[in-house]
Amino acid sequence: MLRYLGFRVLQAVGVLWAAFTVSFAVLFLLPSDPVSIAAGADAGTPVDAAAIEQLQARYGLDQPIAAQYWNALSNAVRGDFGMSISTGQQVTDAIAAALPSTLVLAGTALVFAVVFGTAVAFLATYTRVHRLRSLLFSLPPLGVAVPTFWVGLILLQLFSFRLRLFPAFGDQGIEHVILPAITLALPTGAVIAQVLATSLQTNWRQPFIEAARAKGASRLRIQTRHALKLSSIPAFTIAGVIVGNLLAGSVVVETVFSRAGIGRLTQMSVMTQDIPVVLGIVVFSSTVFVLVNLAVDLLYPLIDPRIAYGIDRGGAASTEDDPTHDDTLLEVEARV
C-alpha cells in the first residue's frame, strides 16, 4: 500500500510540473508583451519606452527564457508566484480573494449534478416504460453536447429577464447562485448520468442479480441495495474529470453571469497575458485535480474491499484477474 501511495504521489508531482511547464511555454509563445498590454501600449496609448523596459526588468521579463522559467519554477515550489503584472497585487492574494465565490458556485453545481445524474441514470435503468426509458437515455448526450454559454444565456433570458424569478448578475446571496450553478451542473450531471447508467445496465446482467431475484428481492430493492452500490464505483472514478469540468466551466459561467471568481480571474488574466496570475491559477487547479484523484484512489478500498486485496498483492486497483471475483460477488451481493 505504501509503495502504491508513493507511486501516486510521484505521478501527482509529475502532473503539476507538466501543467506548469506547458502553461509557461504557451504564454511565452504569444506574440504580445504583457507589460505593454498592462501599460496600454497595445491599445495605442503613448508609453515611454524607458518605462516599459523598467517594468520588464522589475518582473524579470528582460532575462533569457530559461532563466525566467527556472526563477518562476523555483519560486512556485515555495508557493511564491510573484505579483500580477496588471494590478500589482500578490498572485496568492488575488486567488484567495476569488476562491470563495467559485467554491460556492462549484459546490452548489456539484450537488445539482450528482442529484440530476443519479436520478436520470436510476430512472432510465429502473423503468420498464420504453418511451420514458428512451427519453431518459437521450438526456445525457444532449447535456454534454449543448454549449454551456448557450444554456446560461437561455436561463438568463427566461428566468431573469422574462419571468424575473432570479437576478441576472451578481454574486451576493443564494438567489444569485441558482442559475449559474444549474448552467455549470448540466454537462457535469450528464457525464455522471452516462457513466452510472452504463454501469447499471451492465450490472443488471450479472449473475448476482439473478441470485437476488431468486431470493425474492423486489426490483427496487435490487436496484438500490445491490446494483446502484456496485455501479457507483465507475462513477466515483470520474471524480477528477468532474472537478476539471467544474473548474473549466466556471470560466464561461462566471463570465456570462458577471460573477467574480477563479473563472473570471482566469479569463481576465489570459486576455491581458498576466503570466504570474495564469501560472498561479494553473498550479492551483492542477493541485486540486491531483488531490481529488489521489483521494479517490485511497477511498477505493473503503468502497470495495476486493480492490484493497489487489493493491496489497502489489497490483493495480483492479479485480479483472481475480478468479474468485465472480463467486465472491455472487455470494456477497445475493444476501438480501
Side-chain angles (χ1 to χ4, degrees):
M1 184 65 179
L2 290 178
R3 179 182 175 185
Y4 174 75
L5 179 59
F7 176 72
R8 294 296 295 160
V9 170
L10 288 177
Q11 276 189 324
V13 173
V15 169
L16 291 177
W17 172 79
F20 180 92
T21 302
V22 170
S23 301
F24 183 91
V26 169
L27 288 170
F28 273 88
L29 287 175
L30 297 177
S32 302
D33 174 27
V35 172
S36 299
I37 295 175
D42 284 10
T45 304
V47 180
D48 186 10
I52 293 293
E53 293 178 358
Q54 184 179 3
L55 287 173
Q56 288 176 336
R58 178 183 178 184
Y59 291 102
L61 298 177
D62 59 337
Q63 300 177 2
I65 187 171
Q68 293 185 46
Y69 172 76
W70 175 252
N71 291 334
L73 180 60
S74 57
N75 289 333
V77 170
R78 297 193 298 268
D80 180 14
F81 296 95
M83 294 187 300
S84 167
I85 298 176
S86 301
T87 64
Q89 185 183 15
Q90 285 287 337
V91 173
T92 51
D93 293 340
I95 294 176
L99 184 58
S101 178
T102 299
L103 286 179
V104 172
L105 174 61
T108 307
L110 181 60
V111 173
F112 287 167
V114 170
V115 172
F116 165 74
T118 304
V120 170
F122 186 94
L123 292 175
T125 53
Y126 179 78
T127 183
R128 294 179 177 177
V129 180
H130 179 70
R131 290 186 178 180
L132 178 59
R133 186 186 183 91
S134 300
L135 173 63
L136 291 172
F137 270 112
S138 67
L139 291 180
L142 180 63
V144 173
V146 174
T148 303
F149 73 89
W150 184 81
V151 175
L153 293 175
I154 293 297
L155 292 178
L156 276 175
Q157 181 67 26
L158 180 60
F159 293 102
S160 295
F161 300 136
R162 289 193 178 183
L163 301 178
R164 300 185 182 277
L165 296 177
F166 297 99
F169 309 109
D171 54 2
Q172 301 296 324
I174 189 64
E175 66 275 6
H176 291 87
V177 181
I178 301 300
L179 292 184
I182 293 175
T183 305
L184 187 57
L186 184 60
T188 304
V191 172
I192 295 174
Q194 282 184 314
V195 174
L196 187 58
T198 301
S199 183
L200 280 169
Q201 280 186 308
T202 301
N203 285 321
W204 265 105
R205 295 190 292 267
Q206 296 300 317
F208 71 87
I209 294 294
E210 296 299 329
R213 285 173 176 163
K215 292 282 188 176
S218 65
R219 183 177 177 84
L220 180 61
R221 183 179 177 86
I222 294 174
Q223 177 92 334
T224 55
R225 184 171 177 178
H226 303 295
L228 185 61
K229 179 181 178 181
L230 191 62
S231 301
S232 65
I233 297 178
F236 193 63
T237 305
I238 62 170
V241 176
I242 292 173
V243 171
N245 287 345
L246 292 175
L247 291 176
S250 67
V251 176
V252 175
V253 172
E254 289 178 352
T255 301
V256 171
F257 290 91
S258 298
R259 290 179 56 88
I262 296 294
R264 189 71 182 277
L265 180 63
T266 302
Q267 183 239 348
M268 298 301 297
S269 300
V270 170
M271 288 181 61
T272 58
Q273 204 173 327
D274 198 336
I275 297 173
V277 177
V278 174
L279 290 178
I281 293 173
V282 167
V283 172
F284 168 76
S285 303
S286 302
T287 302
V288 173
F289 180 83
V290 298
L291 287 178
V292 169
N293 279 278
L294 183 60
V296 168
D297 286 342
L298 296 179
L299 288 174
Y300 271 147
L302 300 179
I303 300 175
D304 191 345
R306 291 173 290 112
I307 297 177
Y309 173 70
I311 293 176
D312 290 337
R313 289 190 304 170
S318 173
T319 57
E320 292 291 332
D321 300 326
D322 186 356
T324 64
H325 167 63
D326 290 336
D327 294 338
T328 304
L329 192 61
L330 177 63
E331 178 184 351
V332 173
E333 293 295 336
R335 295 175 181 173
V336 294

